[in-house]
């Protein structure tokens, strides 16, 4: 009986599940978890009803402009949600063009007249270090808030992302007093040097998948280079940026240096990208929106643009792979963060020699994936971010089924509340299927078979994306060959999602323009000024 | 450890020093004689600043990937060099500790530091704080003692991978010999100087006098880079002499712990007597003694601020490093002449140029054979500015990105490529 209900769930198109079916599915899952049969197939660790109350209050919901929390100019607010349930957890000031104008004006004044660029780099670095210390002090609250607003497992927020955030600000504080220009050889009697100056007011637009980390990738280098910022957060996840921005001001950041506006892309985001008084824009998000940002920059004041966009990154498992290790790494590469990573390993290419074994084990691993309340210990996967993403993922799953890929497991939503999706695995995926071409941004693994290296190189590169790639092999030769052949901004060999602060990250082709992190990121926030003076009787040239 | 972890230890150390900076400033002045205000308001903050600076480098040591001439994948790893032997002087005990220990630790090395026999105390105190900050045992070892014994042993040691020495040129030569005779360890040397301070004809004389005074007399004249040959253009010479003498007569000498004192005692009896001998030599060579010329008081090692004018290039006081509060003023007529005379020395540590003219500044900057040229300023020692000597003033540079080089070894790694997509 239960089995029939499950299979009917797999094939029905999405509509609101009848509560009786879902509740009984859930209670049977809950009761049977750990035993053979239904519970083991879906492995929700616990019922999605007993949700843990997040141990944090929401204190900051207004825009932060010129050092003060203020309502939106229009007075409007918009809701932000708990993706476990779809419930509203706060109403946040809704920034629009007028708020962006005010924020840009504050950032402009802070840059042109304020103390920030005139401070010594050392003083700027001390403020950044003090900020890192304050974040460390408040990291429990921040981790809880991040999980509450985003849905990622709390253990991930607390043990991985908060420490990484703190680490990133230590890293960038250390660059603040190390920005060097050059003295330059001339072709005649001139003394030539280059000054690497702060570019000015940086507009930064960040996504919802890693709200705090994305804040760090943007704000860190911009401040290290002496700039001022207007940051527009994702409408889905406005809360943690406001909290940390408040801490930055506690650390001594002068007013106007970091302004945070919450709001939507077509209004606040577009206003920032088009602003005539913004000197630089940096955007992370979908490729489609990235194209709009670049157009708006072109149509307004030609501000330099860096873009971190989508991907459909290949994860290539070669014939010499240790299959158990490959399965685990490929699983992580795709499913991490609810599949919501720009660089997810979303085309799993497996050599035919190890294909059958891989499929069987990948399926078993996905079935074992623990989905549930991200605040609950041991949960590996929380909900998708919102209803739009949720429905998009389910549409792709249906497309996968309709295109005759083999559905190994998963295939539908989990529960009736919130945006939970079953860990889904497709095998026998063909290159021309939608699920092999489009970025799904959900817990849907697509496994494709290949026969030889040249073929997989060709197929892996046959995409307009080029963000990352994974290579799984024991052979030095294969690793070196694939590393050079794959047209992607990051190639992870026998690892994945290694995001150390100094490693540059960014895309080839339509996955982006420019690199973030590491020494490479400074370039995005500096202008180069050549200074030339004549020499009279130079002792040397 | 990850570089990040090393940097956190260094940052924690900087915080601990900040907490104890009052005690450290007092100890520094007590053992060295420099004005307490200088220790407390300038040197302790600079020490802390340097360790913030170097902590920030720890996780930013990059090697390169390298273009090959054939199908090879080539990269360079910049590895810690190993055990660094470091020998520091007595004139800036804490700052010299920072210039040495900062980059060595930032690059992942371990250290044996031998302090100057005159000033062993503050290094021991801060090294203890470093261990409180979490530095593992054996990473920083501090040994007090004398040059010919402990210092020589360190420079000759077969198991030390690098030696860095700051001190006199004579001792520096010995260090380099010992390194050569033992295991060819790479050597960096920061040695003496006889740095020219050139005041051009367009100079604002009052400002020039003050800056030249500071350039020579700072730290009881005990700076390797002291502006110890003050070249003054003939057009402003007479006015300069009169004002330089007045300024020296106004210099407040006394107990360095007393507020308002600009000059404390010289470091020890050996230095003290050497300074007095040079003063006598100056008098005997017929330079004009404008003021000063003898000790001050009967206890300790206080010397009167002393000014000689009409100094000639061949006088001993124009050639030798005095390392005391003795200013030597020489006259010049034109730029080419002063360039020639300024460069006519085996030293080459620093130089000062005082002019309003962009053209003159550029010309002198390029012509002077010195590791630092200060234009319309002097003794600016920001953390990122490299410092070191030309010629017999030293080998290598300290501070800034340049200092990392001293504490890294370069390893090239080469692997064949099969069917590379590009070369």
């Amino acid at each position: 009986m239960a089995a029939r209900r499950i299979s009917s769930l797999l094939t029905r198109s999405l509509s609101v599940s009848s509560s009786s079916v879902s509740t009984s599915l859930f209670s049977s899952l809950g009761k049977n978890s750990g035993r053979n049969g239904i519970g083991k197939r879906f492995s929700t660790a616990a019922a999605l009803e007993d949700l843990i109350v997040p141990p944090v209050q929401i204190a900051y919901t207004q825009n932060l402009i010129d050092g003060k929390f203020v309502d939106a100019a229009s007075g409007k607010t918009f809701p932000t949600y708990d993706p476990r349930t779809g419930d509203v957890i706060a109403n946040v000031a809704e920034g629009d063009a007028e708020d962006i104008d005010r924020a840009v004006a504050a950032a402009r004044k802070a840059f042109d007249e304020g103390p920030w660029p005139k401070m010594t780099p050392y003083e700027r670095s001390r403020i950044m270090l003090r900020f890192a210390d304050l974040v460390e002090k408040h990291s429990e609250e921040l981790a809880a808030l991040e999980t509450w607003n985003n849905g990622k497992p709390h253990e991930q927020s607390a043990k991985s992302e908060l420490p990484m955030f703190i680490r990133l600000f230590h890293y960038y504080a250390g660059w603040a007093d190390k920005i060097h220009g050059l003295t330059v050889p001339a072709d005649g009697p001139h003394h030539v040097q280059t000054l690497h100056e702060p570019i000015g007011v940086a507009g930064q637009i960040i996504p919802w998948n890693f709200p705090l980390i994305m804040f760090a990738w943007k704000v860190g280098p911009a401040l290290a280079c002496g700039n001022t910022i207007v940051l527009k957060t994702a409408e889905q996840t406005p809360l943690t940026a406001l909290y940390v921005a408040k801490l930055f001001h506690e650390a001594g950041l002068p007013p106007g240096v970091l302004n945070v506006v919450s709001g939507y892309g077509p209004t606040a985001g577009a206003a920032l990208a088009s602003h005539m008084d913004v000197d630089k824009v940096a955007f992370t998000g979908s490729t489609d929106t990235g194209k709009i940002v670049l157009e708006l920059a072109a149509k307004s004041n030609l501000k330099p643009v860096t873009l971190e966009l989508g991907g459909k990154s290949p994860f290539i498992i070669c014939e010499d792979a240790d299959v158990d290790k490959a399965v685990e790494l490929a699983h992580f590469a795709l499913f991490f963060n609810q599949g919501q990573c720009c660089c997810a390993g979303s085309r799993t290419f497996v050599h035919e020699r190890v294909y059958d074994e891989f499929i069987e084990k990948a399926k078993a691993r996905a079935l074992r994936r623990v989905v549930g309340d991200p605040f609950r210990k041991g949960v590996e996967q929380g909900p998708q971010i919102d209803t739009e993403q949720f429905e998009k993922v389910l549409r792709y799953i249906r497309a996968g089924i309709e295109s005759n890929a083999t559905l190994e497991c998963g295939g539908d939503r989990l529960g009736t509340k919130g945006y939970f999706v079953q860990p889904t695995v497709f095998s026998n995926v063909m290159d021309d299927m939608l699920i092999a071409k489009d970025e799904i941004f959900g817990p849907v693994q697509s496994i494709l078979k290949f026969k030889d290296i040249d073929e997989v190189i060709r197929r892996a590169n046959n995409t307009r994306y080029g963000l990352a790639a994974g290579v799984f092999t024991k052979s030095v030769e294969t690793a070196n060959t694939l590393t050079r052949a794959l047209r992607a901004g990051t190639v992870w060999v026998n690892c994945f999602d290694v995001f150390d602060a100094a490693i540059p990250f960014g895309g080839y082709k339509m996955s982006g323009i420019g690199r973030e992190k590491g020494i490479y990121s400074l370039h995005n926030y500096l202008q180069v000024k050549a200074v030339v003076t004549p020499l009279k009787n130079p002792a040397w040239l | 450890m990850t570089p990040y972890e090393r940097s956190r230890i260094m940052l924690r150390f900087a915080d601990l020093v900040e907490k104890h900076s009052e005690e450290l400033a007092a100890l520094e002045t007590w053992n060295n004689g420099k004005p307490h205000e200088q220790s407390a308001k300038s040197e302790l903050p600079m020490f802390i600043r340097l360790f913030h600076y170097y902590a920030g480098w720890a996780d930013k040591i990059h090697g390169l990937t390298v273009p090959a001439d054939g199908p090879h994948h080539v990269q360079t790893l910049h590895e810690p060099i190993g055990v660094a032997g470091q020998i520091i002087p007595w004139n800036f005990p804490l700052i010299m500790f920072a210039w040495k220990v900062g980059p060595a630790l930032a690059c992942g090395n371990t250290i044996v530091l031998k302090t100057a026999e005159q000033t062993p105390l503050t290094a021991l105190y801060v090294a203890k704080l470093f261990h409180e900050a979490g530095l593992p045992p054996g990473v920083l070892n501090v040994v007090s003692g004398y040059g010919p014994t402990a210092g020589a042993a360190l420079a000759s040691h077969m198991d030390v991978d690098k030696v860095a020495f700051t001190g006199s040129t004579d001792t520096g030569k010995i260090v380099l010999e010992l390194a050569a005779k033992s295991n060819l360890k790479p050597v960096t040397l920061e040695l003496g100087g006889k740095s020219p301070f050139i005041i051009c004809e367009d100079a604002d004389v009052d400002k020039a006098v003050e800056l030249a005074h500071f350039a020579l007399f700072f730290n009881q004249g005990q700076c390797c880079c002291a502006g110890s040959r003050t070249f003054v253009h003939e057009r402003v010479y007479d006015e300069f002499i009169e004002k330089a003498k007045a300024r020296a007569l106004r210099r407040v000498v006394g107990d360095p712990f007393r507020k308002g004192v600009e000059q404390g005692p010289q470091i020890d009896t050996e230095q003290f007597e050497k300074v007095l001998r040079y003063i006598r030599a100056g008098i005997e060579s017929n330079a004009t003694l404008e003021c000063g010329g003898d000790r001050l008081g009967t206890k300790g090692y206080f010397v009167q601020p002393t000014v000689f004018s009409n100094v000639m290039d061949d006088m001993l006081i124009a050639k030798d490093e005095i390392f005391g509060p003795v200013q030597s003023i020489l006259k010049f007529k034109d730029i080419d002449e002063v360039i020639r005379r300024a460069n006519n020395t085996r030293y080459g540590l620093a130089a000062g140029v005082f002019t309003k003219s962009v053209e003159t500044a550029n010309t002198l900057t390029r012509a002077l054979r010195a590791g630092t040229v200060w234009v319309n300023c002097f003794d600016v020692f920001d953390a990122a500015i490299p410092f070191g000597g030309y010629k017999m003033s030293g080998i290598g540079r300290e501070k800034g990105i340049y200092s990392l080089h001293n504490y890294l070894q370069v390893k090239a790694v080469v692997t064949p490529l099969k069917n590379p997509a590009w070369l």
Side-chain angles (χ1 to χ4, degrees):
Chain A
M1 168 86 161
R4 200 160 61 232
R5 284 198 181 118
I6 289 159
S7 62
S8 75
L9 272 174
L10 290 176
T11 54
R12 75 156 65 158
S13 53
L14 178 69
S15 54
V16 175
S17 310
S18 79
S19 56
S20 60
V21 171
S22 306
T23 343
S24 65
L25 174 65
F26 261 93
S27 44
S28 65
L29 284 174
K31 287 197 190 98
N32 291 328
S33 86
R35 300 203 298 205
N36 291 335
I38 298 154
K40 191 164 181 241
R41 285 191 69 189
F42 289 100
S43 288
T44 41
L48 292 171
E49 284 109 11
D50 287 336
L51 296 178
I52 292 171
V53 175
V56 63
Q57 306 280 39
I58 295 171
Y60 309 110
T61 58
Q62 295 168 297
N63 293 324
L64 181 46
I65 296 178
D66 206 20
K68 295 189 283 290
F69 279 107
V70 292
D71 290 335
S74 64
K76 283 165 67 181
T77 63
F78 68 100
T80 194
Y81 303 94
D82 178 346
R84 298 176 300 167
T85 56
D87 292 344
V88 175
I89 60 177
N91 287 293
V92 177
E94 184 182 337
D96 203 323
E98 173 61 30
D99 307 278
I100 292 292
D101 271 344
R102 293 179 190 180
V104 171
R108 179 93 261 148
K109 180 147 170 268
F111 185 79
D112 289 345
E113 300 165 30
W116 181 246
K118 297 182 177 50
M119 252 181 230
T120 65
Y122 176 50
E123 288 170 300
R124 285 195 287 273
S125 78
R126 290 303 298 267
I127 291 173
M128 293 175 78
L129 287 176
R130 221 171 299 146
F131 168 68
D133 286 346
L134 283 171
V135 171
E136 203 160 19
K137 235 174 76 172
H138 293 263
S139 58
E140 275 187 43
E141 287 196 318
L142 281 161
L145 192 57
E146 186 85 322
T147 284
W148 195 7
N149 205 196
N150 170 282
K152 66 180 72 225
H154 178 256
E155 189 163 0
Q156 187 182 314
S157 297
K159 299 225 171 104
S160 170
E161 298 191 21
L162 260 300
M164 179 174 285
F165 181 96
I166 292 159
R167 188 278 171 277
L168 283 161
F169 274 96
H170 279 112
Y171 181 80
Y172 280 115
W175 269 125
D177 56 357
K178 298 175 178 60
I179 311 292
H180 295 78
L182 301 172
T183 59
V184 171
D187 295 332
H190 287 97
H191 173 60
V192 185
Q193 51 192 314
T194 55
L195 297 171
H196 291 190
E197 307 190 336
I199 197 165
V201 174
Q204 308 187 312
I205 301 168
I206 58 176
W208 47 261
N209 56 346
F210 294 92
L212 282 172
I213 296 297
M214 293 292 99
F215 176 103
W217 284 23
K218 295 277 185 292
V219 172
L223 293 185
C225 293
N227 298 286
T228 60
I229 297 170
V230 175
L231 179 83
K232 185 203 96 55
T233 50
E235 60 267 27
Q236 297 89 337
T237 52
L239 299 177
T240 45
L242 294 169
Y243 192 143
V244 294
K246 164 75 162 61
L247 293 178
F248 232 131
H249 289 81
E250 266 181 51
L253 196 69
V257 175
L258 172 62
N259 306 276
V260 182
V261 176
S262 318
Y264 292 87
T267 48
L272 194 51
S274 321
H275 207 288
M276 292 301 287
D277 213 7
V278 165
D279 301 297
K280 158 77 191 188
V281 73
F283 169 83
T284 298
S286 70
T287 292
D288 282 343
T289 311
K291 295 172 76 178
I292 294 171
V293 169
L294 190 54
E295 278 184 58
L296 291 176
K299 289 184 158 128
S300 54
N301 65 347
L302 287 176
K303 54 178 75 56
V305 180
T306 34
L307 300 173
E308 297 272 359
L309 308 176
K312 191 71 181 176
S313 303
F315 189 95
I316 300 169
I317 293 148
C318 303
E319 61 178 304
D320 63 352
D322 172 333
V323 176
D324 291 322
K325 292 196 171 122
V327 163
E328 188 58 38
L329 197 59
H331 178 86
F332 168 72
L334 185 282
F335 286 98
F336 175 63
N337 207 49
Q338 291 69 252
Q340 298 167 148
C341 291
C342 46
C343 56
S346 50
R347 286 181 292 155
T348 311
F349 287 97
V350 182
H351 192 276
E352 59 180 12
R353 198 166 297 178
V354 292
Y355 183 83
D356 292 335
E357 185 189 353
F358 184 92
I359 297 300
E360 190 194 311
K361 292 177 166 173
K363 166 182 174 175
R365 179 59 181 95
L367 284 170
R368 275 201 318 273
R369 190 169 184 77
V370 182
V371 186
D373 177 356
F375 279 99
R376 200 171 285 284
K377 215 169 165 8
V379 164
E380 298 175 277
Q381 179 179 316
Q384 307 311 115
I385 186 66
D386 64 9
T387 187
E388 188 184 314
Q389 291 295 317
F390 174 67
E391 295 190 0
K392 182 173 104 162
V393 172
L394 292 174
R395 276 200 306 275
Y396 277 113
I397 290 176
R398 282 198 303 280
I401 293 167
E402 277 155 28
S403 63
N404 279 327
T406 307
L407 179 70
E408 296 287 343
C409 63
D412 206 340
R413 80 180 295 178
L414 202 60
T416 50
K417 278 208 309 183
Y419 314 118
F420 294 87
V421 176
Q422 298 166 5
T424 298
V425 179
F426 284 105
S427 62
N428 299 321
V429 175
M430 299 297 137
D431 291 1
D432 57 355
M433 293 176 179
L434 214 60
I435 56 171
K437 294 195 292 192
D438 287 10
E439 186 180 40
I440 299 172
F441 231 62
V444 181
Q445 185 176 40
S446 297
I447 307 178
L448 309 89
K449 187 190 299 188
F450 77 94
K451 209 201 278 272
D452 66 70
I453 287 287
D454 290 330
E455 171 212 338
V456 80
I457 288 170
R458 194 182 33 78
R459 291 169 61 193
N461 284 337
N462 184 25
T463 165
R464 290 212 173 272
Y465 288 119
L467 191 51
V471 171
F472 203 90
T473 178
K474 293 191 181 79
S475 157
V476 162
E477 208 170 82
T478 305
N480 279 337
T481 300
L482 284 172
T483 299
R484 288 194 174 221
L486 292 165
R487 305 294 293 164
T490 301
V491 180
W492 283 299
V493 180
N494 297 330
C495 62
F496 208 87
D497 280 349
V498 176
F499 281 117
D500 300 359
I503 305 176
F505 182 85
Y508 280 44
K509 303 190 285 189
M510 295 184 81
S511 285
I513 295 171
R515 292 293 176 271
E516 294 193 305
K517 295 204 289 114
I519 192 174
Y520 295 80
S521 63
L522 306 176
H523 169 74
N524 301 329
Y525 295 100
L526 295 166
Q527 270 288 15
V528 178
K529 172 185 288 174
V531 180
V532 187
T533 334
L535 290 169
K536 183 170 148 175
N537 294 330
W540 58 269
L541 281 179
Chain B
M1 236 182 242
T2 64
Y4 176 50
E5 288 169 300
R6 284 195 287 272
S7 78
R8 291 302 297 268
I9 291 172
M10 294 176 76
L11 288 175
R12 223 171 297 148
F13 168 68
D15 287 346
L16 283 171
V17 171
E18 201 158 21
K19 235 175 72 173
H20 293 264
S21 59
E22 275 186 45
E23 286 196 322
L24 281 161
L27 191 57
E28 186 84 323
T29 285
W30 194 8
N31 203 197
N32 170 281
K34 67 180 72 226
H36 177 256
E37 189 161 2
Q38 188 183 313
S39 297
K41 299 225 168 106
S42 170
E43 299 191 21
L44 259 301
M46 180 174 284
F47 181 96
I48 293 158
R49 189 275 170 280
L50 283 161
F51 274 96
H52 278 115
Y53 180 79
Y54 281 115
W57 270 125
D59 56 356
K60 299 176 178 62
I61 312 291
H62 296 79
L64 302 171
T65 59
V66 171
D69 296 333
H72 287 96
H73 174 61
V74 184
Q75 51 192 314
T76 56
L77 297 171
H78 292 191
E79 307 190 335
I81 197 166
V83 174
Q86 307 187 314
I87 302 168
I88 58 177
W90 46 262
N91 56 347
F92 293 91
L94 281 172
I95 296 297
M96 293 293 100
F97 177 102
W99 285 23
K100 297 274 184 295
V101 171
L105 292 184
C107 294
N109 299 286
T110 60
I111 297 169
V112 176
L113 180 84
K114 187 208 92 57
T115 50
E117 58 268 27
Q118 298 91 337
T119 53
L121 300 177
T122 45
L124 292 169
Y125 192 142
V126 294
K128 163 76 159 62
L129 293 178
F130 232 132
H131 288 82
E132 265 180 52
L135 197 69
V139 175
L140 172 62
N141 306 277
V142 182
V143 177
S144 317
Y146 291 86
T149 48
L154 194 50
S156 320
H157 207 287
M158 293 299 289
D159 214 6
V160 165
D161 300 297
K162 155 77 190 188
V163 74
F165 168 84
T166 297
S168 71
T169 293
D170 282 342
T171 310
K173 294 172 74 177
I174 294 172
V175 169
L176 189 54
E177 278 184 58
L178 292 176
K181 288 183 160 133
S182 54
N183 65 347
L184 286 177
K185 53 175 76 55
V187 178
T188 33
L189 302 172
E190 297 273 0
L191 308 176
K194 192 69 181 178
S195 303
F197 188 96
I198 300 170
I199 294 148
C200 303
E201 60 178 303
D202 64 352
D204 172 334
V205 176
D206 291 320
K207 290 193 173 128
V209 163
E210 188 57 38
L211 197 60
H213 179 84
F214 168 71
L216 185 283
F217 286 97
F218 175 64
N219 207 51
Q220 293 68 252
Q222 296 167 150
C223 291
C224 44
C225 55
S228 49
R229 285 181 294 153
T230 311
F231 287 96
V232 183
H233 192 275
E234 60 182 10
R235 198 167 298 178
V236 294
Y237 184 83
D238 293 332
E239 187 190 351
F240 185 92
I241 298 299
E242 189 194 313
K243 291 178 168 174
K245 166 183 175 175
R247 180 60 180 95
L249 283 169
R250 275 203 316 274
R251 189 169 184 75
V252 182
V253 187
D255 177 0
F257 279 99
R258 201 172 285 284
K259 214 169 166 13
V261 164
E262 298 175 275
Q263 179 181 317
Q266 307 311 114
I267 187 63
D268 63 11
T269 184
E270 186 184 317
Q271 291 296 316
F272 173 67
E273 293 189 0
K274 182 173 104 164
V275 173
L276 292 175
R277 275 200 307 274
Y278 276 112
I279 290 175
R280 282 196 300 277
I283 294 167
E284 276 156 28
S285 63
N286 281 326
T288 308
L289 180 69
E290 298 286 342
C291 62
D294 208 340
R295 79 180 295 176
L296 200 64
T298 51
K299 279 210 306 187
Y301 313 120
F302 295 86
V303 176
Q304 299 166 5
T306 298
V307 179
F308 284 104
S309 64
N310 300 321
V311 175
M312 299 297 136
D313 291 1
D314 56 356
M315 292 177 181
L316 215 59
I317 56 171
K319 295 196 291 190
D320 288 9
E321 186 179 41
I322 300 174
F323 233 62
V326 181
Q327 185 174 40
S328 298
I329 307 176
L330 309 90
K331 189 192 296 188
F332 78 95
K333 210 203 274 274
D334 65 70
I335 288 288
D336 289 331
E337 171 211 338
V338 79
I339 287 170
R340 193 181 35 77
R341 290 168 62 194
N343 285 336
N344 183 24
T345 165
R346 288 211 173 275
Y347 288 118
L349 190 51
V353 171
F354 204 88
T355 177
K356 292 193 184 79
S357 157
V358 163
E359 210 171 79
T360 306
N362 279 338
T363 301
L364 283 172
T365 299
R366 289 197 173 217
L368 293 166
R369 305 294 293 163
T372 301
V373 180
W374 284 297
V375 180
N376 297 331
C377 61
F378 208 87
D379 279 349
V380 177
F381 281 116
D382 300 359
I385 305 176
F387 183 85
Y390 281 44
K391 303 190 287 192
M392 293 184 79
S393 285
I395 294 172
R397 291 293 176 272
E398 292 192 306
K399 292 202 291 114
I401 192 174
Y402 295 80
S403 63
L404 306 176
H405 169 73
N406 301 329
Y407 295 100
L408 296 166
Q409 270 288 19
V410 179
K411 171 186 287 173
V413 179
V414 186
T415 333
L417 289 169
K418 181 170 147 169
N419 292 330
W422 59 271
L423 279 180

